[in-house]
Amino acid sequence: MTANKDDYVYQYGFGNHFSSEALKDALPKGQNTPQKCPYNLYAEQLSGTAFTVPRTHNQRSWLYRIRPSVVHVPFTRDESGNPLLVSKFGTEDVLITPTQIRWSPFDLPTSSEKVNFVEGLKSLAGAGDPACRSGLGIHIYSANTDMGKTAFYNSDGDFLILPQQGVLDIFTEFGKMKVAPNEIAVIQRGVRYSVSLPDGPSRGYVLEVFGAHFELPDLGPIGANGLANPRDFMTPTACYEEENDMQWDIVTKFNGQLFRAKQNHTPFDVVAWHGNYAPYKYDLANFCVINSVSFDHIDPSIFTVLTAKSDTPGVAVADFVIFPPRWAVQEKTFRPPYFHRNCMSEFMGLITGDYDGKSDGFLPGGGSLHSIMTPHGPDAAVFEAASQAELKPTYVGANNQAFMFETSFMLSLTPWGLKTCGKVQENYYKAWEKLENKFNGNLE
């Protein structure tokens, strides 16, 4: 399903300790901080976890660069920044409702506007506060221009980015990635990058986690293989620029606010690096689906690609779940998703296709939110069709890709997300109006 001409070179694996150098022998041998680095480079460590985190979860990388990233003028508040990008969700500025919500596709910038990736980020919902390293944010991005001589890094959390339309060409300190619809990119806290749009305007979704990093879910009785296999994750290789007397803007999101600093050299001057804290991409078409081959609709956790764990075993800060093309073969079973009241919040989006026949409302580039303990499930038309369907093997979701951000947090909505975006479908509740009382007291 993924159509992306990507000629960049990657390293494969998940959570590996990678080594990459753009010039031969640019990595120091046998130590991290020699008195003098090869090629007169500077050694700089990027820590993704505290020094004393157990080795099984410790994440950091060493970068060997032409100039250390500390060479810049002081940061100032970006007064012309993005007021629709929200990170603090415990304030009076957010809105709260348990009502089921569905959004029509979000708008792309008009041709008269010039909006880059950071400027085009708009927050829908979230919980928590990055200052306490707890919570998450759900954002939409829509952009139609390159970031040019601007680089961004997020001090608040990790971004999981899903393009829905248009390829993202992302130049990071660790190298380059191209990310197409039906692929994802994860860019961790502190990593600097700049986004270009090689095939025009782009729109997509972003899941931001403030505390934990994303990891592969445990497989339990499934065994050693299945779901998202580690070998399919792709990490960029070292690639550097050398520029002098060229002004760059460095933008950071720090404690929910945007700040900007200037420097007269490129931030993408890393000649070599090694470590296990680096951005990566993944093609969702490589997901190995696990499902029932006998009876019953299995819980959607079997479709988890990545998880950001909380301190409570089995409870996630955020799960990234997909609903890819697959075979349905269950006997004596209502095959669509069941009616549900969940202790988790569920945000769904659609990359492409027609999810469960909801072509009249759930569209690519839109979304839905079913909050904690708010009931949801198939609409009347889907229920009737599935209740009467011949239960033969059926290929479900051909050319489709829906996804879910699921979280244990209760989500608040931004004013833009609930009001001013103008995309909330006010009649969404009517999807269930035609579910009739079929009880007759007679056992068939």
Side-chain angles (χ1 to χ4, degrees):
M1 188 193 300
T2 305
N4 177 22
K5 184 179 179 182
D6 187 349
D7 51 4
Y8 295 146
V9 178
Y10 298 92
Q11 303 173 91
Y12 290 83
F14 188 90
N16 299 20
H17 187 111
F18 293 108
S19 295
S20 183
E21 51 186 21
L23 293 178
K24 182 177 173 56
D25 296 328
L27 283 172
K29 300 295 191 290
Q31 65 179 123
N32 294 320
T33 55
Q35 185 178 26
K36 186 176 181 181
C37 291
Y39 297 99
N40 291 316
L41 297 170
Y42 291 90
E44 178 179 279
Q45 183 174 202
L46 177 60
S47 294
T49 56
F51 294 140
T52 51
V53 165
R55 179 169 288 200
T56 53
H57 287 79
N58 205 298
Q59 298 186 39
R60 90 286 180 259
S61 287
W62 283 94
L63 293 77
Y64 299 89
R65 57 194 318 148
I66 297 171
R67 290 182 182 84
S69 56
V70 71
V71 182
H72 61 79
V73 302
F75 283 97
T76 57
R77 175 79 179 274
D78 191 350
E79 300 297 341
S80 63
N82 185 348
L84 299 180
L85 180 58
V86 178
S87 294
K88 292 178 178 287
F89 293 94
T91 68
E92 295 180 359
D93 296 333
V94 296
L95 304 174
I96 297 171
T97 178
T99 296
Q100 304 95 336
I101 299 173
R102 190 164 67 187
W103 290 272
S104 297
F106 297 96
D107 292 333
L108 288 160
T110 65
S111 58
S112 62
E113 302 174 285
K114 293 297 182 184
V115 180
N116 67 32
F117 175 81
V118 176
E119 295 166 341
L121 285 166
K122 300 177 179 67
S123 302
L124 276 182
D129 188 329
C132 300
R133 303 288 290 273
S134 177
L136 78 162
I138 296 172
H139 317 288
I140 301 296
Y141 79 84
S142 57
N144 64 354
T145 194
D146 300 344
M147 288 178 62
K149 298 296 183 182
T150 299
F152 173 75
Y153 70 96
N154 188 358
S155 301
D156 292 346
D158 295 6
F159 269 5
L160 187 156
I161 304 169
L162 295 87
Q164 183 273 319
Q165 175 181 323
V167 173
L168 301 181
D169 193 333
I170 307 175
F171 197 166
T172 80
E173 295 176 277
F174 293 81
K176 297 180 179 181
M177 302 186 293
K178 281 184 182 175
V179 188
N182 210 49
E183 295 182 321
I184 63 169
V186 172
I187 304 180
Q188 297 92 334
R189 178 187 291 111
V191 176
R192 299 182 178 195
Y193 60 98
S194 186
V195 179
S196 299
L197 309 176
D199 59 353
S202 182
R203 174 179 60 195
Y205 309 84
V206 177
L207 172 61
E208 179 184 14
V209 290
F210 300 147
H213 298 299
F214 290 103
E215 55 188 278
L216 293 173
D218 297 323
L219 294 181
I222 292 174
N225 306 287
L227 307 187
N229 289 309
R231 63 173 296 184
D232 294 321
F233 287 81
M234 306 164 70
T235 293
T237 54
C239 175
Y240 73 95
E241 296 178 334
E242 185 178 6
E243 288 182 344
N244 295 304
D245 300 320
M246 183 68 68
Q247 181 170 292
W248 277 77
D249 284 2
I250 307 298
V251 177
T252 182
K253 185 165 78 72
F254 182 87
N255 201 11
Q257 299 181 11
L258 293 180
F259 292 83
R260 185 179 296 264
K262 295 185 181 297
Q263 61 185 50
N264 65 354
H265 60 93
T266 176
F268 305 119
D269 62 356
V270 176
V271 180
W273 63 270
H274 75 86
N276 63 350
Y277 190 65
Y280 53 86
K281 61 174 276 188
Y282 174 73
D283 186 341
L284 301 180
N286 290 325
F287 187 81
C288 180
V289 178
I290 305 294
N291 208 344
S292 170
V293 293
S294 55
F295 62 89
D296 275 355
H297 183 97
I298 305 301
D299 296 333
S301 49
I302 59 171
F303 301 123
T304 301
V305 180
L306 293 169
T307 184
K309 295 180 178 178
S310 73
D311 294 334
T312 303
V315 178
V317 172
D319 285 330
F320 170 56
V321 179
I322 63 172
F323 303 97
R326 61 200 181 276
W327 282 96
V329 299
Q330 303 97 316
E331 298 178 325
K332 299 179 291 184
T333 295
F334 182 80
R335 290 178 177 176
Y338 42 72
F339 294 102
H340 195 202
R341 290 180 294 162
N342 197 355
C343 63
M344 309 281 277
S345 301
E346 304 177 16
F347 173 84
M348 286 192 63
L350 188 61
I351 302 299
T352 186
D354 174 8
Y355 179 72
D356 270 358
K358 298 179 180 179
S359 59
D360 61 331
F362 187 55
L363 301 172
S368 67
L369 176 62
H370 300 140
S371 294
I372 287 177
M373 292 304 167
T374 294
H376 53 279
D379 60 30
V382 170
F383 179 84
E384 291 298 332
S387 298
Q388 304 298 326
E390 180 184 357
L391 293 180
K392 59 184 180 180
T394 304
Y395 193 64
V396 178
N399 299 314
N400 286 6
Q401 189 64 268
F403 71 88
M404 179 168 65
F405 300 150
E406 186 175 61
T407 175
S408 57
F409 287 97
M410 302 186 84
L411 297 179
S412 300
L413 290 147
T414 65
W416 181 83
L418 190 59
K419 300 291 185 182
T420 58
C421 72
K423 298 300 177 180
V424 173
Q425 298 176 10
E426 301 294 347
N427 63 348
Y428 180 36
Y429 70 96
K430 293 183 178 180
W432 298 284
E433 273 189 338
K434 294 181 181 179
L435 288 165
E436 301 172 342
N437 180 355
K438 296 177 177 293
F439 180 75
N440 62 14
N442 297 317
L443 183 62
E444 295 181 1

